[in-house]
């Protein structure tokens, strides 16, 4: 009883006006960081762009950027880099996912405590989409897939979902920016269904959300990519890489980190990118053969190719597309022999002459040779210091910690 009486006496003394005055003297409530007479986070939301959102801190991951971003497709290849760039500037990132709880696990370490928020949702359930957008002020749609499955077609994944997200974002009323990631070469006249669906998505998004920004990245290169990794794995397994046609198709691959930086740059500008389309290609144009040469050089294997004419490549890859919805079991995911990608390679895919590019976003893209493709050293025979094409072995004394 005496302990309870002492606690009550302490609480009454703390609630007294004199105690509060003394606390104010020690910790002044009118300090510019926080306080009862000054809102901690003032709302200065801009109607165009998010350049005028209230910010707090020095700009690092423990700061407050004012951005609350819902990133659809965050668990994919590009998504992890976009989340990382948003989180390191102090943004809160809402991560919708539809797989297991482990799908977004690797993203949580990219931001400060509580800043990366995984939220399970169903892309076919409108109410769950609204739930993951409820607290956001910007939305990025990175959803895309270059092959079909029994459950999701090209049109549903790449077009219908984008249209639905843009419509819901507009109805939300508090979404200031919408970033739609399309694909370089998207056109209604493309031989590729994937690129036609992306073109239709661009039109639908701009119709539903006129203030949206469209980004068209070229084929992206990076640690988890599906270009260089696919080639390297195929070359290590079979000893060669198939070149469709004669490998002379021109492409303009881009480092994935540059695309993520472009998305964040468009998101945080003063509104100059609103309603515009940007084509994001690397600084160099390669043929498919040239890019494969870079891969072989990095994995230190002798370059061997088998030129596969387009008609034969189409014939090899067509059976999967025919049987996809006719057999009672899922078919393997296509890697190199993907019919839609083969059709896309029948045309050059480079940045248009008068298009808005990285330069308009204030970004200088990296050249591919060097750091962007160093992840391929994991495919070298005998370890990172060796390989089939190395003519001389490295001196063991050069390894740190090694002594004879």
């Amino acid at each position: 009883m005496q302990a309870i009486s002492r606690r009550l006496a302490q609480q009454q003394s703390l609630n007294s006006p004199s105690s509060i005055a003394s606390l104010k003297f020690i910790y002044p409530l009118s300090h510019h960081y926080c306080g009862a007479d000054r809102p901690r986070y003032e709302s200065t939301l801009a109607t165009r762009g998010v350049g005028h959102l209230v910010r707090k801190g020095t700009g690092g991951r423990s700061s407050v950027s004012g951005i609350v971003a819902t990133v659809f497709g965050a668990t994919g290849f590009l998504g992890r880099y976009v989340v990382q760039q948003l989180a390191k500037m102090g943004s809160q990132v809402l991560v919708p996912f539809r797989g297991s709880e482990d799908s977004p696990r690797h993203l949580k370490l990219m931001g400060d405590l509580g800043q990366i928020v995984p939220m399970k949702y169903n892309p076919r359930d409108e109410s769950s989409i609204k739930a993951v957008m409820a607290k956001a002020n910007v939305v990025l749609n990175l959803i895309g897939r270059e092959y079909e499955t029994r459950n999701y077609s090209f049109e549903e994944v790449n077009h219908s979902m984008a249209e639905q997200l843009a419509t819901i974002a507009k109805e939300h009323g508090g979404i200031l920016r919408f970033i739609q990631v399309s694909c370089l070469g998207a056109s209604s006249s493309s031989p590729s269904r994937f690129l036609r669906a992306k073109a239709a998505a661009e039109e639908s998004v701009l119709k539903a959300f006129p203030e949206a920004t469209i980004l068209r990245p070229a084929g992206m290169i990076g640690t988890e990519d599906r270009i260089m990794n696919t080639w390297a794995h195929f070359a290590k397994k079979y000893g060669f890489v198939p070149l469709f046609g004669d490998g002379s198709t021109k492409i303009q691959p881009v480092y994935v980190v540059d695309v993520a930086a472009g998305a964040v740059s468009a998101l945080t500008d003063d509104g100059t990118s609103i309603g515009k389309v940007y084509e994001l290609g690397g600084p160099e144009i390669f043929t498919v053969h040239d890019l494969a040469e870079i891969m072989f050089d990095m994995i230190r294997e002798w370059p061997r190719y088998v030129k596969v004419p387009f008609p034969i490549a189409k014939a090899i890859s067509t059976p999967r597309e025919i049987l996809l919805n006719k057999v009672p079991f899922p078919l393997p995911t296509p890697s190199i022999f993907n019919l839609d990608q083969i059709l896309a390679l029948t045309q050059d895919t480079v940045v248009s002459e008068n298009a808005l590019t990285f330069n308009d976003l204030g970004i200088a893209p990296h050249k591919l040779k060097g750091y962007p493709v160093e992840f391929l050293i994991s495919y070298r025979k005998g370890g990172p210091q060796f390989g089939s094409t190395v003519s001389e072995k490295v001196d063991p004394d050069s390894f740190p910690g090694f002594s004879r």
Side-chain angles (χ1 to χ4, degrees), residues 38-93:
R38 181 184 177 90
R40 186 175 184 183
Y41 303 123
E42 296 180 353
S43 177
T44 57
L45 297 180
T47 57
R48 293 178 63 84
V50 295
H52 304 297
L53 288 178
V54 64
R55 292 174 172 82
K56 178 184 174 184
T58 58
R61 58 181 273 150
S62 296
S63 303
V64 175
S65 70
I67 295 174
V68 182
T70 299
V71 183
F72 291 92
T75 56
F77 174 37
L78 174 61
R80 67 183 63 204
Y81 295 95
V82 172
V83 171
Q84 187 265 341
Q85 299 234 8
L86 287 170
K88 76 176 184 180
M89 60 186 285
S91 304
Q92 187 173 48
V93 185

Side-chain angles (χ1 to χ4, degrees), residues 135 182 203 227 240 243 252:
K135 302 296 183 180
S182 184
E203 183 179 351
I227 300 176
F240 70 93
L243 289 181
Q252 199 169 347

Side-chain angles (χ1 to χ4, degrees), residues 290-331:
D290 293 337
L291 191 61
E293 284 285 317
I294 294 176
M295 182 274 298
F296 273 114
D297 181 65
M298 186 56 64
I299 69 173
R300 292 179 179 172
E301 293 289 342
W302 300 107
R304 297 183 181 92
Y305 305 101
V306 174
K307 293 183 179 180
V308 184
F310 280 115
I312 296 178
K314 294 175 186 176
I316 294 173
S317 56
T318 296
R320 180 188 183 275
E321 310 305 318
I322 295 175
L323 298 174
L324 184 62
N325 294 311
K326 295 183 179 180
V327 295
F329 51 85
L331 295 176

Side-chain angles (χ1 to χ4, degrees), residues 6 9 78 139 156-157 165 188 214 236 242 256 278 316 329 344 370:
R6 282 197 299 270
L78 174 61
V139 173
E156 181 178 7
V157 173
L165 294 179
S188 58
I214 308 294
K236 294 293 289 185
V256 63
Y278 293 82
I316 294 173
F329 51 85

